[in-house]
Amino acid sequence: MNFETIAAQAAHQIDPATGAVAPPIYLSTTFERDADGEYSRGFVYSRVDNPNRHALEECLALLEGGETGNAASAAFASGSAATAAVFQALAPGDHVIAPDDCYHGTSRMLREVFAPWGVETSFVDMTDADAVQRSVRPNTRLVWVETPSNPLLKITDIARMAAIAHSAGAACACDNTWASPMLQRPFESDADLVVHSTTKYLSGHEDVTGGAVVGREDSPFFQRVRLIQNLCGAVPSPFDCWLTLRGIRTLPVRMRAHSANAGQLARFLEDHSQVSAVHYPGLPDHPGHDIAARQMSDFGGMLSFQVAGGREAAMAVAAGVKLFVRATSLGGTQSLIEHRASIEGPDTTTPDDLLRVSVGLENADDLIGDLAQALG
Ligand code: PLP
């Protein structure tokens, strides 16, 4: 079955009791036990498993893993909870290699939560595979990849990172939030785990917070993630799972439209005299363009650009937009713009003249017109 078909039907089976085509939402927290003590219908208690969560997990496993039937998946209450479950699966004394440019919540989590628990991290420029190789230590257990990266749109060669991880006896996890499985499937490049903030493209409508970890197979590492999901309980509600599945039905068409709009915007910004740099892997002179073209089927809806004139000029552009919404996050139908350094806080390494854009599904000419008038 092709990706679009899996997404459009979103792992749905017609409700056997009513024939409902849209899936019902199962709010029940607990499920009836059989007279003989078994749970023949498969559900016991909603923290452990729930029909809506089960359907979402099944769908994500199919989207990332294809129909091999090997992929395993666990849904969480947010992308950050999914990320945390992967790090919680490590032990004190383990070492992680993570990108120097990644979602600031992920790097803060490693520094402020997991370092005090004894998990060490080296933050490395992952566009430099030799630097990653040099960072490997005897206790390296995980290579964490995020590509395209947040907010500089750096592109990391997933297959290279997976090879380095595996030769060190470590696992490779890829945060696939920005590309979504429509544009990039890290298991095809040998990653072991894929992590998502489903808050973004998968749900796609700025109305649900969620996350997921998908395993290429039901490995001991993934089983530990599943144990953490069950015992620590950061699970999404049935309605959140339902909303996310509803979003997934249109993921392929949305990702194509996001990518087409972002490409047009990037080309407009590249030629603008008030713009000193555009970070978008679809531009042929982007340093990661060739790798992106190889491991992604399109270049996605995220870009960032730097405004000539520094922080004040960038702030003025963000203040001047009329169609774009000034807000953090990404992956929804509406275009968002944000001054990223001021969101990330005092320890940010993001250039202070940089604006990050989540390109939505509006008409590209309208978006270009809005940025043109804000840039002046
Ligand atoms: N990973 C990436 C790449 C993100 O951009 C984000 C949020 O912006 C997260 C993870 C965290 O997801 P959530 O906000 O759902 O916890």
Side-chain angles (χ1 to χ4, degrees), residues 292-317:
R294 198 171 70 231
Q295 70 187 14
M296 300 175 77
S297 60
D298 207 337
F299 301 103
M302 293 300 296
L303 61 84
S304 59
F305 65 99
Q306 292 172 251
V307 182
R311 178 190 164 94
E312 293 317 312
M315 288 301 230
V317 172

Side-chain angles (χ1 to χ4, degrees), residues 32-209:
E32 189 185 32
R33 196 168 184 179
D34 303 335
D36 63 2
E38 295 299 310
Y39 284 96
S40 58
R41 288 161 284 192
F43 297 99
V44 177
Y45 183 61
S46 262
R47 170 167 47 73
V48 179
D49 205 358
N50 165 281
N52 296 102
R53 200 176 91 208
H54 190 80
L56 173 60
E57 290 173 345
E58 220 180 357
C59 185
L60 291 170
L62 283 172
L63 293 177
E64 284 291 357
E67 286 186 286
T68 59
N70 292 333
S73 106
F76 287 87
S78 67
S80 301
T83 301
V86 174
F87 299 146
Q88 283 174 309
L90 300 170
D94 286 352
H95 174 244
V96 178
I97 302 177
D100 63 350
D101 185 62
C102 70
Y103 171 55
H104 79 300
T106 302
S107 53
R108 284 193 62 192
M109 196 186 294
L110 285 163
R111 286 193 175 94
E112 297 176 35
V113 178
F114 288 96
W117 285 4
V119 172
E120 306 161 10
T121 304
S122 302
F123 293 95
V124 187
D125 177 0
M126 288 204 170
T127 62
D128 181 351
D130 293 337
V132 176
Q133 183 65 63
R134 283 195 302 276
S135 311
V136 170
R137 300 181 191 166
N139 57 341
T140 302
R141 294 286 170 270
L142 181 68
V143 176
W144 180 273
V145 175
E146 183 185 306
T147 182
S149 74
N150 184 354
L152 287 172
L153 281 292
K154 287 187 181 182
I155 299 296
T156 297
D157 185 333
I158 304 169
R160 277 299 286 282
M161 296 304 114
I164 292 172
H166 295 159
S167 68
C172 176
C174 180
D175 184 333
N176 201 25
T177 299
W178 277 32
S180 91
M182 172 62 190
L183 304 187
Q184 177 170 276
R185 284 187 285 283
F187 296 148
E188 291 170 6
S189 302
D190 262 1
D192 303 288
L193 297 170
V194 167
V195 176
H196 279 288
S197 168
T198 57
T199 313
K200 319 297 186 194
Y201 289 108
L202 283 159
S203 62
H205 295 76
E206 300 124 347
D207 53 12
V208 52
T209 302

